Amino acid sequence: MQLPGITLLVIDDDDMVRQSIAIHLEQCGFEVLQASHAREGLALVVSHSPALVLCDLYMSDMNGFELLAQIGEQASETPVVVISDDGVMSDVVEALRLGASDYLINPQADLEVLEHAVRRSLDRAHLRNENQRIRERLELANRELENHLRELRDDQTAGRQVQLNMLPATPWKSDEYLFEHRIIPSLYLSGDFVDYFRVSETQLAFYLADVSGHGASSAFVTVLLKFMTTRLLYEQRKQREQGPIAFQPSDVLGHINRSLISCNLGKHVTMLGGVIDEAQQTLTYSIGGHLPLPVLCVGGKAEYLQGKGRPVGLFAEAEYENHQIPLPPRFSLTLCSDGVLDCVEGATLKEKEDRLPILVGQAGGDMQTFMQLLGLEHAKVMPDDISVLLLSRTP
């Protein structure tokens, strides 16, 4: 049985045919309206919105083709089954062209065929209407998605600008020391960050950080890093108005470690940080779980600095060591995030790490040459954030 509440309309000026059709369709479970004239049927289409219309092709007050056209104008979604005593092919073609869903000849002769045609037309109309609703929902979802994507792009653009504004100038020269950096994000925002700045008249500080993960959440932590180091430097300067500041790399890593854990962001950082003492001609550095290690190049010979330490922001009990080396009159120091190793030839991580100092030595302290050797002279999509911090001393 058809679900109740489905109303059909039969329009036919032959009372016997119309009533025969109506009685059978009512027995099939439909609610059936009847109209003996085309204009009466049109009025019922407007007032009752039947789910389907059956109409005779030839009636006294209106041509069936004209009736089809008017139903199409007033209720375009309503399927119309045309019934006729004749099977003239030209009539069939014209009726279908005007939107009829089916064409039946002598329907009262086989009412089961009539019922089947009605149910088939209703199913097609239901499917068409459902597809239309799905298209409308998809169009709405697409519009909402486009709006969200536009907002996301705007947010990312703003975030990217904030991140760029936090980065130091490159290149930056301070007396004999030249600092340069390159950051290539795997996404629009980077989880890698570098900074370098003058601590006092005789001290220069720098660090490279690689935040776990990618995208906006990792980029947010780089903002925190900038704030933490700036705040720590401010506090140190308040305590010492003149002269060198006790800005030890291990203290910086320890301070950031405690702060990240207390923030409970679920993020950790691998870091390399150092302070150059121009008066003593020394470099003091500390390592927070970062690989690859810094590469020192002197006289064309490049080798890793030694040291180790736990990642920053994971272990509350973590302690960080300071390592100190004398600085030669001429040298370069290259710090890289682990994303750089994706650009180095080698079948294993060990082979890549062994080759990195060779590339640093070939670059000879020149950032552009080093990026060319890595194949990064042109922007490209990489699987991980890439950052390089290169400092050199040329008296």
Side-chain angles (χ1 to χ4, degrees):
M1 297 288 288
Q2 188 73 22
L3 290 175
I6 295 182
T7 301
L8 309 181
L9 171 61
V10 181
I11 307 173
D12 197 322
D13 56 4
D14 187 323
D15 294 340
M16 184 178 296
V17 172
R18 185 183 70 251
Q19 291 174 6
S20 173
I21 292 173
I23 291 171
H24 180 77
L25 291 175
E26 286 174 347
Q27 291 173 348
C28 294
F30 296 103
E31 297 178 8
V32 183
L33 301 174
Q34 298 184 44
S36 58
H37 301 287
R39 299 190 188 282
E40 179 188 357
L42 276 175
L44 289 174
V45 168
V46 174
S47 61
H48 288 74
S49 301
L52 180 140
V53 175
L54 295 100
C55 70
D56 188 11
L57 192 59
Y58 300 104
M59 288 181 286
S60 58
D61 66 330
M62 184 182 296
N63 184 293
F65 299 124
E66 183 180 350
L67 176 60
L68 259 176
Q70 291 197 31
I71 293 175
E73 291 176 2
Q74 298 184 33
S76 60
E77 301 300 319
T78 303
V80 179
V81 176
V82 173
I83 55 180
S84 175
D85 292 333
D86 301 317
V88 180
M89 184 56 63
S90 60
D91 290 346
V92 175
V93 172
E94 181 64 13
L96 295 176
R97 187 188 70 81
L98 289 171
S101 62
D102 210 338
Y103 191 105
L104 299 178
I105 302 171
N106 291 325
Q108 71 275 17
D110 192 340
L111 293 174
E112 289 187 0
V113 172
L114 170 67
E115 179 188 353
H116 176 71
V118 168
R119 294 187 185 280
R120 184 176 58 191
S121 293
L122 286 171
D123 288 342
R124 284 201 300 259
H126 175 76
L127 182 60
R128 182 178 64 249
N129 293 335
E130 186 63 25
N131 287 339
Q132 178 63 28
R133 284 193 291 270
I134 291 172
R135 281 196 299 271
E136 290 172 354
R137 287 199 295 267
L138 286 175
E139 288 172 0
L140 176 60
N142 284 335
R143 286 195 297 271
E144 291 176 349
L145 179 59
E146 288 174 0
N147 290 334
H148 290 323
L149 288 175
R150 190 179 302 110
E151 292 174 0
L152 178 60
R153 285 193 295 268
D154 291 344
D155 290 345
Q156 287 183 327
T157 300
R160 179 63 174 160
Q161 192 59 49
V162 168
Q163 200 169 44
L164 290 174
N165 290 341
M166 292 192 309
L167 290 168
T170 183
W172 178 69
K173 197 170 191 309
S174 181
D175 294 333
E176 298 179 341
Y177 293 91
L178 178 67
F179 290 79
E180 293 183 81
H181 73 266
R182 297 286 188 277
I183 292 183
I184 303 174
S186 60
L187 300 174
Y188 199 74
L189 297 170
S190 174
D192 285 3
F193 194 73
V194 301
D195 202 3
Y196 37 82
F197 44 88
R198 180 164 286 281
V199 177
S200 69
E201 291 184 358
T202 60
Q203 293 171 294
L204 294 168
F206 62 89
Y207 67 86
L208 182 147
D210 183 354
V211 183
S212 60
H214 304 282
S217 60
S218 298
F220 175 73
V221 177
T222 67
V223 178
L224 283 180
L225 293 177
K226 179 74 173 183
F227 170 77
M228 292 174 192
T229 53
T230 303
R231 180 72 180 179
L232 189 60
L233 178 59
Y234 172 75
E235 295 294 337
Q236 292 279 349
R237 282 177 174 164
K238 279 177 58 178
Q239 297 175 20
R240 295 171 175 82
E241 295 183 0
Q242 296 180 0
I245 294 176
F247 199 73
Q248 294 294 325
S250 60
D251 294 338
V252 176
L253 266 59
H255 171 71
I256 295 174
N257 183 63
R258 293 187 296 273
S259 299
L260 284 179
I261 290 174
S262 66
C263 288
N264 196 28
L265 297 174
K267 292 286 184 180
H268 66 274
V269 185
T270 62
M271 292 185 69
L272 301 165
V275 174
I276 294 173
D277 189 318
E278 295 169 294
Q280 300 296 323
Q281 300 298 311
T282 58
L283 167 64
T284 303
Y285 66 93
S286 187
I287 297 172
H290 191 89
L291 290 173
L293 293 168
V295 180
L296 181 67
C297 183
V298 181
K301 181 181 179 182
E303 58 185 12
Y304 287 113
L305 297 183
Q306 298 305 304
K308 61 182 180 180
R310 288 183 169 186
V312 180
L314 274 181
F315 306 100
E317 72 281 5
E319 295 183 358
Y320 301 95
E321 294 183 64
N322 285 319
H323 306 269
Q324 190 174 89
I325 61 170
L327 290 176
R330 293 177 180 271
F331 74 93
S332 69
L333 182 67
T334 303
L335 287 69
C336 304
S337 64
D338 59 359
V340 165
L341 295 175
D342 292 328
C343 308
V344 179
E345 292 181 2
T348 65
L349 179 61
K350 178 68 166 57
E351 291 178 2
K352 293 173 179 284
E353 289 179 333
D354 290 344
R355 180 161 174 74
L356 182 60
I358 297 173
L359 298 179
V360 171
Q362 292 174 352
D366 182 77
M367 176 66 82
Q368 183 175 353
T369 303
F370 184 55
M371 298 300 283
Q372 288 175 345
L373 291 171
L374 292 173
L376 296 173
E377 67 271 31
H378 302 297
K380 60 174 67 174
V381 177
M382 299 300 296
D384 195 5
D385 296 329
I386 290 176
S387 57
V388 177
L389 169 57
L390 194 154
L391 66 96
S392 55
R393 182 187 185 193
T394 306

PDB file of all heavy atoms in Angstrom, residues 7 9 33-35 39-51 74-75 78:
ATOM      1  N   THR A   7      -1.744  12.674  -2.417  1.00  0.00           N
ATOM      2  CA  THR A   7      -2.932  13.073  -3.170  1.00  0.00           C
ATOM      3  C   THR A   7      -2.645  13.099  -4.663  1.00  0.00           C
ATOM      4  O   THR A   7      -1.632  13.664  -5.098  1.00  0.00           O
ATOM      5  CB  THR A   7      -3.405  14.467  -2.712  1.00  0.00           C
ATOM      6  OG1 THR A   7      -3.690  14.433  -1.312  1.00  0.00           O
ATOM      7  CG2 THR A   7      -4.657  14.889  -3.476  1.00  0.00           C
ATOM      8  N   LEU A   9      -4.471  13.789  -8.636  1.00  0.00           N
ATOM      9  CA  LEU A   9      -5.539  14.521  -9.321  1.00  0.00           C
ATOM     10  C   LEU A   9      -5.764  13.893 -10.692  1.00  0.00           C
ATOM     11  O   LEU A   9      -4.818  13.757 -11.479  1.00  0.00           O
ATOM     12  CB  LEU A   9      -5.167  15.996  -9.466  1.00  0.00           C
ATOM     13  CG  LEU A   9      -6.099  16.847 -10.344  1.00  0.00           C
ATOM     14  CD1 LEU A   9      -7.520  16.882  -9.778  1.00  0.00           C
ATOM     15  CD2 LEU A   9      -5.535  18.263 -10.517  1.00  0.00           C
ATOM     16  N   LEU A  33      -8.336  13.353  -6.082  1.00  0.00           N
ATOM     17  CA  LEU A  33      -9.205  14.461  -6.458  1.00  0.00           C
ATOM     18  C   LEU A  33      -9.612  14.277  -7.916  1.00  0.00           C
ATOM     19  O   LEU A  33      -8.845  13.708  -8.712  1.00  0.00           O
ATOM     20  CB  LEU A  33      -8.467  15.803  -6.296  1.00  0.00           C
ATOM     21  CG  LEU A  33      -7.938  16.139  -4.893  1.00  0.00           C
ATOM     22  CD1 LEU A  33      -7.105  17.420  -4.960  1.00  0.00           C
ATOM     23  CD2 LEU A  33      -9.085  16.291  -3.911  1.00  0.00           C
ATOM     24  N   GLN A  34     -10.817  14.799  -8.264  1.00  0.00           N
ATOM     25  CA  GLN A  34     -11.289  14.666  -9.641  1.00  0.00           C
ATOM     26  C   GLN A  34     -11.681  16.030 -10.194  1.00  0.00           C
ATOM     27  O   GLN A  34     -12.193  16.888  -9.477  1.00  0.00           O
ATOM     28  CB  GLN A  34     -12.497  13.722  -9.713  1.00  0.00           C
ATOM     29  CG  GLN A  34     -12.206  12.302  -9.254  1.00  0.00           C
ATOM     30  CD  GLN A  34     -13.410  11.398  -9.447  1.00  0.00           C
ATOM     31  OE1 GLN A  34     -14.080  11.437 -10.506  1.00  0.00           O
ATOM     32  NE2 GLN A  34     -13.699  10.571  -8.442  1.00  0.00           N
ATOM     33  N   ALA A  35     -11.403  16.207 -11.485  1.00  0.00           N
ATOM     34  CA  ALA A  35     -11.833  17.410 -12.191  1.00  0.00           C
ATOM     35  C   ALA A  35     -12.333  16.995 -13.565  1.00  0.00           C
ATOM     36  O   ALA A  35     -11.663  16.238 -14.290  1.00  0.00           O
ATOM     37  CB  ALA A  35     -10.692  18.406 -12.316  1.00  0.00           C
ATOM     38  N   ARG A  39      -9.760  23.571 -16.742  1.00  0.00           N
ATOM     39  CA  ARG A  39      -9.598  24.771 -15.911  1.00  0.00           C
ATOM     40  C   ARG A  39      -9.882  24.457 -14.440  1.00  0.00           C
ATOM     41  O   ARG A  39      -9.212  24.983 -13.543  1.00  0.00           O
ATOM     42  CB  ARG A  39     -10.502  25.878 -16.423  1.00  0.00           C
ATOM     43  CG  ARG A  39     -10.173  26.279 -17.862  1.00  0.00           C
ATOM     44  CD  ARG A  39     -10.904  27.542 -18.285  1.00  0.00           C
ATOM     45  NE  ARG A  39     -10.714  27.774 -19.712  1.00  0.00           N
ATOM     46  CZ  ARG A  39      -9.614  28.287 -20.238  1.00  0.00           C
ATOM     47  NH1 ARG A  39      -8.599  28.604 -19.450  1.00  0.00           N
ATOM     48  NH2 ARG A  39      -9.521  28.463 -21.542  1.00  0.00           N
ATOM     49  N   GLU A  40     -10.861  23.588 -14.213  1.00  0.00           N
ATOM     50  CA  GLU A  40     -11.131  23.157 -12.844  1.00  0.00           C
ATOM     51  C   GLU A  40      -9.917  22.413 -12.280  1.00  0.00           C
ATOM     52  O   GLU A  40      -9.534  22.582 -11.115  1.00  0.00           O
ATOM     53  CB  GLU A  40     -12.367  22.249 -12.830  1.00  0.00           C
ATOM     54  CG  GLU A  40     -12.718  21.726 -11.437  1.00  0.00           C
ATOM     55  CD  GLU A  40     -13.824  20.671 -11.485  1.00  0.00           C
ATOM     56  OE1 GLU A  40     -14.359  20.389 -12.595  1.00  0.00           O
ATOM     57  OE2 GLU A  40     -14.148  20.107 -10.420  1.00  0.00           O
ATOM     58  N   GLY A  41      -9.313  21.568 -13.147  1.00  0.00           N
ATOM     59  CA  GLY A  41      -8.118  20.831 -12.717  1.00  0.00           C
ATOM     60  C   GLY A  41      -6.965  21.755 -12.386  1.00  0.00           C
ATOM     61  O   GLY A  41      -6.247  21.553 -11.391  1.00  0.00           O
ATOM     62  N   LEU A  42      -6.771  22.805 -13.195  1.00  0.00           N
ATOM     63  CA  LEU A  42      -5.695  23.770 -12.911  1.00  0.00           C
ATOM     64  C   LEU A  42      -5.896  24.443 -11.563  1.00  0.00           C
ATOM     65  O   LEU A  42      -4.941  24.665 -10.798  1.00  0.00           O
ATOM     66  CB  LEU A  42      -5.637  24.827 -14.023  1.00  0.00           C
ATOM     67  CG  LEU A  42      -4.841  24.465 -15.273  1.00  0.00           C
ATOM     68  CD1 LEU A  42      -4.979  25.560 -16.314  1.00  0.00           C
ATOM     69  CD2 LEU A  42      -3.373  24.236 -14.932  1.00  0.00           C
ATOM     70  N   ALA A  43      -7.169  24.772 -11.262  1.00  0.00           N
ATOM     71  CA  ALA A  43      -7.453  25.403  -9.970  1.00  0.00           C
ATOM     72  C   ALA A  43      -7.123  24.449  -8.822  1.00  0.00           C
ATOM     73  O   ALA A  43      -6.585  24.869  -7.783  1.00  0.00           O
ATOM     74  CB  ALA A  43      -8.931  25.817  -9.919  1.00  0.00           C
ATOM     75  N   LEU A  44      -7.390  23.167  -8.972  1.00  0.00           N
ATOM     76  CA  LEU A  44      -7.062  22.184  -7.927  1.00  0.00           C
ATOM     77  C   LEU A  44      -5.545  21.990  -7.798  1.00  0.00           C
ATOM     78  O   LEU A  44      -5.025  21.754  -6.694  1.00  0.00           O
ATOM     79  CB  LEU A  44      -7.740  20.847  -8.242  1.00  0.00           C
ATOM     80  CG  LEU A  44      -9.267  20.810  -8.068  1.00  0.00           C
ATOM     81  CD1 LEU A  44      -9.830  19.480  -8.562  1.00  0.00           C
ATOM     82  CD2 LEU A  44      -9.645  21.036  -6.605  1.00  0.00           C
ATOM     83  N   VAL A  45      -4.837  22.077  -8.911  1.00  0.00           N
ATOM     84  CA  VAL A  45      -3.359  21.989  -8.863  1.00  0.00           C
ATOM     85  C   VAL A  45      -2.809  23.096  -7.973  1.00  0.00           C
ATOM     86  O   VAL A  45      -1.927  22.877  -7.119  1.00  0.00           O
ATOM     87  CB  VAL A  45      -2.759  22.069 -10.284  1.00  0.00           C
ATOM     88  CG1 VAL A  45      -1.237  22.267 -10.200  1.00  0.00           C
ATOM     89  CG2 VAL A  45      -3.078  20.815 -11.074  1.00  0.00           C
ATOM     90  N   VAL A  46      -3.348  24.306  -8.159  1.00  0.00           N
ATOM     91  CA  VAL A  46      -2.857  25.449  -7.376  1.00  0.00           C
ATOM     92  C   VAL A  46      -3.275  25.342  -5.914  1.00  0.00           C
ATOM     93  O   VAL A  46      -2.485  25.609  -5.005  1.00  0.00           O
ATOM     94  CB  VAL A  46      -3.377  26.768  -7.994  1.00  0.00           C
ATOM     95  CG1 VAL A  46      -3.007  27.950  -7.120  1.00  0.00           C
ATOM     96  CG2 VAL A  46      -2.834  26.939  -9.399  1.00  0.00           C
ATOM     97  N   SER A  47      -4.537  24.958  -5.670  1.00  0.00           N
ATOM     98  CA  SER A  47      -5.060  24.982  -4.294  1.00  0.00           C
ATOM     99  C   SER A  47      -4.647  23.779  -3.458  1.00  0.00           C
ATOM    100  O   SER A  47      -4.506  23.883  -2.241  1.00  0.00           O
ATOM    101  CB  SER A  47      -6.592  25.087  -4.329  1.00  0.00           C
ATOM    102  OG  SER A  47      -7.150  23.957  -4.994  1.00  0.00           O
ATOM    103  N   HIS A  48      -4.459  22.609  -4.074  1.00  0.00           N
ATOM    104  CA  HIS A  48      -4.197  21.391  -3.302  1.00  0.00           C
ATOM    105  C   HIS A  48      -2.806  20.784  -3.521  1.00  0.00           C
ATOM    106  O   HIS A  48      -2.420  19.863  -2.801  1.00  0.00           O
ATOM    107  CB  HIS A  48      -5.264  20.325  -3.628  1.00  0.00           C
ATOM    108  CG  HIS A  48      -6.609  20.619  -3.058  1.00  0.00           C
ATOM    109  ND1 HIS A  48      -7.437  21.597  -3.585  1.00  0.00           N
ATOM    110  CD2 HIS A  48      -7.284  20.080  -2.001  1.00  0.00           C
ATOM    111  CE1 HIS A  48      -8.566  21.642  -2.884  1.00  0.00           C
ATOM    112  NE2 HIS A  48      -8.500  20.731  -1.915  1.00  0.00           N
ATOM    113  N   SER A  49      -2.083  21.260  -4.499  1.00  0.00           N
ATOM    114  CA  SER A  49      -0.714  20.771  -4.780  1.00  0.00           C
ATOM    115  C   SER A  49      -0.640  19.248  -4.780  1.00  0.00           C
ATOM    116  O   SER A  49       0.048  18.630  -3.942  1.00  0.00           O
ATOM    117  CB  SER A  49       0.265  21.331  -3.748  1.00  0.00           C
ATOM    118  OG  SER A  49       0.272  22.739  -3.772  1.00  0.00           O
ATOM    119  N   PRO A  50      -1.337  18.581  -5.651  1.00  0.00           N
ATOM    120  CA  PRO A  50      -1.294  17.111  -5.683  1.00  0.00           C
ATOM    121  C   PRO A  50       0.115  16.610  -6.018  1.00  0.00           C
ATOM    122  O   PRO A  50       0.914  17.302  -6.643  1.00  0.00           O
ATOM    123  CB  PRO A  50      -2.279  16.759  -6.799  1.00  0.00           C
ATOM    124  CG  PRO A  50      -2.303  17.973  -7.685  1.00  0.00           C
ATOM    125  CD  PRO A  50      -2.138  19.137  -6.755  1.00  0.00           C
ATOM    126  N   ALA A  51       0.387  15.376  -5.566  1.00  0.00           N
ATOM    127  CA  ALA A  51       1.703  14.790  -5.820  1.00  0.00           C
ATOM    128  C   ALA A  51       1.854  14.372  -7.271  1.00  0.00           C
ATOM    129  O   ALA A  51       2.985  14.281  -7.779  1.00  0.00           O
ATOM    130  CB  ALA A  51       1.913  13.587  -4.912  1.00  0.00           C
ATOM    131  N   GLN A  74       2.929  26.497 -13.404  1.00  0.00           N
ATOM    132  CA  GLN A  74       2.438  26.730 -12.052  1.00  0.00           C
ATOM    133  C   GLN A  74       2.953  25.710 -11.030  1.00  0.00           C
ATOM    134  O   GLN A  74       3.016  26.015  -9.833  1.00  0.00           O
ATOM    135  CB  GLN A  74       0.903  26.717 -12.064  1.00  0.00           C
ATOM    136  CG  GLN A  74       0.304  27.819 -12.937  1.00  0.00           C
ATOM    137  CD  GLN A  74      -1.208  27.854 -12.855  1.00  0.00           C
ATOM    138  OE1 GLN A  74      -1.789  27.557 -11.821  1.00  0.00           O
ATOM    139  NE2 GLN A  74      -1.863  28.229 -13.958  1.00  0.00           N
ATOM    140  N   ALA A  75       3.299  24.525 -11.473  1.00  0.00           N
ATOM    141  CA  ALA A  75       3.775  23.476 -10.551  1.00  0.00           C
ATOM    142  C   ALA A  75       4.787  22.613 -11.296  1.00  0.00           C
ATOM    143  O   ALA A  75       4.515  21.459 -11.644  1.00  0.00           O
ATOM    144  CB  ALA A  75       2.609  22.648 -10.030  1.00  0.00           C
ATOM    145  N   THR A  78       5.604  18.991 -10.271  1.00  0.00           N
ATOM    146  CA  THR A  78       4.533  17.980 -10.220  1.00  0.00           C
ATOM    147  C   THR A  78       4.569  17.092 -11.465  1.00  0.00           C
ATOM    148  O   THR A  78       4.450  17.590 -12.589  1.00  0.00           O
ATOM    149  CB  THR A  78       3.158  18.658 -10.133  1.00  0.00           C
ATOM    150  OG1 THR A  78       3.120  19.505  -8.985  1.00  0.00           O
ATOM    151  CG2 THR A  78       2.044  17.612 -10.028  1.00  0.00           C
TER     152      THR A  78
END
